[in-house]
Amino acid sequence: MQINLLDRVRLGIAVFAAKTITSTIRTFKLGAASVLPGTIGKRLHPQILALLSQQIKYGTIIVAGTNGKTTTSLLLRGILEKDGWKVVHNEAGANLVNGLITTLLENTSLTGKLKADYGILEVDENVIPIVIPQLKPKYIIALNLFRDQLDRYGEVDTITYRWGKAIAELDGDTILVTNGDDPALAYLGQQLASGAKPKQVKYFGLSEPELYLDEIPHAVDSIYCPSCGTALEYKGVYLSHQGDFDCPKCSFTKSELSIDSKEWPQVLIGVYNKYNTLAAITTMESIGISKPIILDTISTFQAAFGRSEEVIYKGKKVRILLTKNPASMNETIRAVSQVNQSGGGSVSLMLLNDRTPDGTDVSWIWDVDTEKFVNAGGTIVVSGDRVYDMALRLEYSKIDPNSGAKIIVKENLKEAIDIAIELTSTTEILHIIPTYSAMLDVREILTGKKIL
């Protein structure tokens, strides 16, 4: 991309100021400097996001969705770097506009030049329409859409509409990689493929009926046809509203998937991580990365902090499984239940906070299907800012008040961790299921380090 002299001078000033701010913050340990430099840079040059991103040689890959952005982005980065490409990635997780700018600034020289082959940017679902015109991404990965943080965002169909409107304005070079098992996102892909500026669309999803849930969960968002509004008919569901569907009234149906899920392994545990893996594979195959490179990266993949991350604490194995909403908690307790049933664990620690990063409305826990998890037995230790809300939800899940899991309530987080560790045998894994801010708190205790 050619940048005129005036833009180059303004960009240089913005880069210098941002790097100075970054150095000052980190030198005096005032924070992670993951947002403020971008804020300063944008003030000094409002078009800085576009000017920087369009210098990326082969373009930007946007990773969007309610759940799974961090894991998918990390897998994409690992595959590309293993194949020898230089990548810029917002690994700190700052996925709003100023955080994206900060990531690019950190990889820019003092003269405003950014040298990278690919950009991998996980982007908050609500700012996708804002950043797409500036980033002009080569790939957009649409992982999923669930109800999330009720105090922040509107209905799923509103977000889908805004995504579609923004993507439709891009030129035909943009490739959409979307979840074919998610009715709203499958329909989005079909509409964009046949629109005024047709997009190339690739679909990922599962073709493994043995992974069907026994029933549709309560936390479903898109079980009605996005074309005509009729209730969809499902052969089966894999996760929330994601599954094999058809509309009995109109022609809308699940699109043909680009890859066969049975032919590929996955990173980490849980069906949700199978989807994350398939999204990354579909994108990498589209770029032209070889299958051996992809498989090698999957086999050596290390979890991001809090996303199936494993640590040793007081000689016991601990696995941290971040949850943010009904869909993610349903899948987390499903994965934990499978481990427990195989003898891999019997103790869980559930942490519920209601701080800004978590969403201040915690009523969503009543949409989580905790009944099977609680009535399977074992021990569940509960803590967090909203410890009694979580404990009450679990108690109400019991068929018989005198049976099911033993629920231990501890207001103090350190005490909760210690008792959970004490009750976990050396042959088992303690699963910790926290919301976001609780995950940060628990990691600080377990590792002795802050993330931010």
Side-chain angles (χ1 to χ4, degrees), residues 250-312:
C250 71
S251 60
F252 176 66
T253 188
K254 177 175 172 174
S255 297
E256 183 178 351
L257 303 178
S258 298
I259 60 174
D260 186 348
S261 66
K262 296 189 293 293
E263 297 178 358
W264 294 91
Q266 69 177 78
V267 299
L268 311 176
I269 65 170
V271 170
Y272 54 100
N273 279 317
K274 182 80 171 184
Y275 277 110
N276 297 336
T277 308
L278 293 171
I281 292 168
T282 303
T283 308
M284 293 295 96
E285 284 211 321
S286 179
I287 287 175
I289 307 299
S290 68
K291 189 170 184 177
I293 290 288
I294 297 172
L295 288 173
D296 188 31
T297 310
I298 291 172
S299 67
T300 57
F301 183 78
Q302 296 293 314
F305 61 86
R307 281 81 169 178
S308 294
E309 179 186 17
E310 295 183 0
V311 299
I312 302 297

Side-chain angles (χ1 to χ4, degrees), residues 379-399:
T379 301
I380 303 174
V381 182
V382 187
S383 190
D385 298 343
R386 299 297 288 269
V387 56
Y388 293 105
D389 294 80
M390 193 73 247
L392 182 65
R393 174 67 187 102
L394 298 178
E395 286 290 353
Y396 265 98
S397 301
K398 290 185 176 181
I399 296 173

Side-chain angles (χ1 to χ4, degrees), residues 145 155-165 182 184-185 187-188 222:
L145 279 175
E155 293 298 322
V156 167
D157 55 358
T158 302
I159 296 174
T160 310
Y161 171 77
R162 295 177 65 224
W163 282 15
K165 189 176 179 181
D182 187 310
L185 293 180
Y187 184 70
L188 173 68
S222 302

Side-chain angles (χ1 to χ4, degrees), residues 330-399:
N330 271 340
E331 285 308 301
T332 296
I333 61 179
R334 176 187 179 185
V336 171
S337 295
Q338 290 172 346
V339 173
N340 292 350
Q341 288 166 12
S342 66
S346 61
V347 181
S348 302
L349 172 58
M350 300 188 74
L351 309 173
L352 179 66
N353 282 3
D354 61 350
R355 302 172 199 172
T356 300
D358 312 290
T360 55
D361 184 346
V362 298
S363 62
W364 60 267
I365 63 173
W366 292 92
D367 287 332
V368 179
D369 296 317
T370 52
E371 284 71 20
K372 286 185 180 179
F373 184 54
V374 171
N375 289 292
T379 301
I380 303 174
V381 182
V382 187
S383 190
D385 298 343
R386 299 297 288 269
V387 56
Y388 293 105
D389 294 80
M390 193 73 247
L392 182 65
R393 174 67 187 102
L394 298 178
E395 286 290 353
Y396 265 98
S397 301
K398 290 185 176 181
I399 296 173

Side-chain angles (χ1 to χ4, degrees), residues 64-137:
T66 310
N67 299 332
K69 295 187 291 293
T70 299
T71 297
T72 305
S73 297
L74 196 60
L75 179 55
L76 290 166
R77 175 180 178 174
I79 294 169
L80 287 172
E81 290 185 336
K82 189 173 288 288
D83 202 43
W85 303 104
K86 179 175 173 54
V87 177
V88 293
H89 169 218
N90 55 334
E91 59 186 319
N95 56 20
L96 300 177
V97 176
N98 292 335
L100 304 180
I101 295 172
T102 298
T103 294
L104 300 182
L105 283 168
E106 195 158 1
N107 291 273
T108 302
S109 70
L110 286 173
T111 58
K113 293 183 179 180
L114 193 159
K115 292 185 178 180
D117 297 309
Y118 289 96
I120 299 174
L121 299 177
E122 59 172 277
V123 180
D124 183 277
E125 56 266 38
N126 215 36
V127 302
I128 285 288
I130 299 171
V131 302
I132 278 181
Q134 301 173 66
L135 292 173
K136 293 183 171 57

